[in-house]
Amino acid sequence: MLISPADKERVAQAIRAAEEKTAGEIFCVIARHSSDYRLVPLAWAAALALVLPAPLIYFTLWPAWAIYLAQILTFVLTAIGLSWPPIRFHLVPRRAGHDRAHTQAMRQFLGQGLHQTENRTGVLIFASVAERYAEILADAGINARVTPDVWDSAVAALVSGIRSARPADGFIAAIEQCGAVLAQHFPPGTLKRNELPNRLVEI
């Protein structure tokens, strides 16, 4: 569990407080990781096994069967060793990890129904821990009035909280900043209703 039930309740309270001042809808998701990256250790193991024969051929008198056996053992042992999650996630190129995390954020945005609010005022606050990635996605009604860079400070607050092992505090800070932006551009109105659950989802 990335965030305790007590901290999830704190985040839910922060969402309720922010939404009292705006017609916008805020939803939060935190992911342990956005992909398993199962092929990454295999790719590294295969690359190492492929380059292994050259030095063995030139600098040893090993027979072909021994070199072939060394290749197989190298592939298997390397693949097993690199499959350990703390190592596996560090092998993923940063750009590839961020691309996977962004795809997961888009999937959550659609899957949680943030694109179905009446005035298209849904906001997703998303973080993926293994990729060290955070993003805020806003629906069309919000993007028509504010530019994406307005969320930069909220993303920075979220990332800071996660890096310091206080993810709930990071989410709460991001919620407060997003709420302030939404309150400025989307006041609650007289018929304000809650269209999305006020909670943090952990996946």
Side-chain angles (χ1 to χ4, degrees), residues 56-181:
L56 294 180
I57 290 171
Y58 285 105
F59 299 110
T60 74
L61 298 177
W62 289 13
W65 67 265
I67 293 175
Y68 179 65
L69 180 60
Q71 272 190 296
I72 294 175
L73 289 174
T74 297
F75 175 81
V76 172
L77 294 176
T78 302
I80 292 173
L82 298 183
S83 292
W84 189 43
I87 296 177
R88 184 171 77 237
F89 290 121
H90 280 289
L91 293 175
V92 178
R94 183 174 182 179
R95 178 62 182 271
H98 285 187
D99 286 346
R100 292 288 182 90
H102 173 69
T103 299
Q104 180 65 260
M106 293 296 296
R107 187 178 294 119
Q108 290 298 316
F109 186 90
L110 298 174
Q112 301 294 346
L114 275 87
H115 63 302
Q116 295 177 335
T117 61
E118 183 176 355
N119 295 311
R120 305 294 298 273
T121 54
V123 173
L124 173 68
I125 302 176
F126 175 86
S128 191
V129 177
E131 290 83 2
R132 296 184 286 277
Y133 180 87
E135 182 175 8
I136 294 176
L137 294 175
D139 204 0
I142 296 172
N143 289 333
R145 297 194 188 182
V146 300
T147 56
D149 61 297
V150 77
W151 313 116
D152 288 350
S153 62
V155 170
L158 176 55
V159 170
S160 177
I162 292 174
R163 283 179 177 171
S164 60
R166 295 181 293 105
D169 291 342
F171 271 99
I172 290 169
I175 290 165
E176 291 173 348
Q177 294 189 37
C178 289
V181 172

Side-chain angles (χ1 to χ4, degrees), residues 32-48:
R32 190 174 299 276
H33 50 76
S34 293
S35 174
D36 288 331
Y37 305 103
R38 297 292 183 185
L39 295 180
V40 171
L42 298 180
W44 280 91
L48 185 58

